[in-house]
Amino acid sequence: MDLSKYVGGRSRLARRILAIALTVVAISSLRKGKRLSGILAGVGALALGYDATSESSELTETLGIDTTSEEADLHCAECGQPIRPGQRRGPNANDEIVHDDCAELAS
């Protein structure tokens, strides 16, 4: 599993929903005569819509949004290996997250 791959899923779905909501706000604002609000919401909708539908992560990198799974993973304080979902883990004496096997070896 390559940890530097672009992660889609829930964050991509959230960006699509937000883009749709901003589109509705933009149309509503333009109909009410609020040009600035409508234009700003439209630009935001275009940016989020492009980012949610494109395969590249240029916009998220430009904005500094981290969508890689590397930061989201827990790492064992003893061995440095990632802690995968479902693996037994817990705090050690220093309140750091470690594998249960690593905690037993350290004791």
Side-chain angles (χ1 to χ4, degrees), residues 48-91:
L48 282 173
Y50 171 76
D51 188 46
T53 57
S54 70
E55 293 296 319
S56 70
S57 59
E58 295 173 7
L59 182 62
T60 54
E61 289 174 1
T62 303
L63 296 176
I65 301 170
D66 184 26
T67 58
T68 60
S69 62
E70 186 173 348
E71 293 290 321
D73 287 340
L74 292 174
H75 292 280
C76 178
E78 293 289 328
C79 67
Q81 296 294 321
I83 299 174
R84 308 239 185 267
Q87 284 184 323
R88 296 183 63 200
R89 63 184 183 269

Side-chain angles (χ1 to χ4, degrees), residues 10-62:
R10 291 183 181 168
S11 64
R12 181 170 283 190
L13 178 64
R15 287 191 302 260
R16 285 182 183 174
I17 292 170
L18 188 57
I20 291 169
L22 282 174
T23 302
V24 170
V25 169
I27 292 170
S28 174
S29 295
L30 289 173
R31 284 188 178 178
K32 291 178 183 177
K34 298 180 181 179
R35 292 182 191 161
L36 182 61
S37 298
I39 290 172
L40 289 176
V43 169
L46 285 173
L48 282 173
Y50 171 76
D51 188 46
T53 57
S54 70
E55 293 296 319
S56 70
S57 59
E58 295 173 7
L59 182 62
T60 54
E61 289 174 1
T62 303

Side-chain angles (χ1 to χ4, degrees), residues 85-107:
Q87 284 184 323
R88 296 183 63 200
R89 63 184 183 269
N92 62 4
N94 297 330
D95 289 330
E96 299 171 323
I97 301 296
V98 295
H99 294 110
D100 281 352
D101 297 334
C102 293
E104 290 174 5
L105 290 174
S107 299

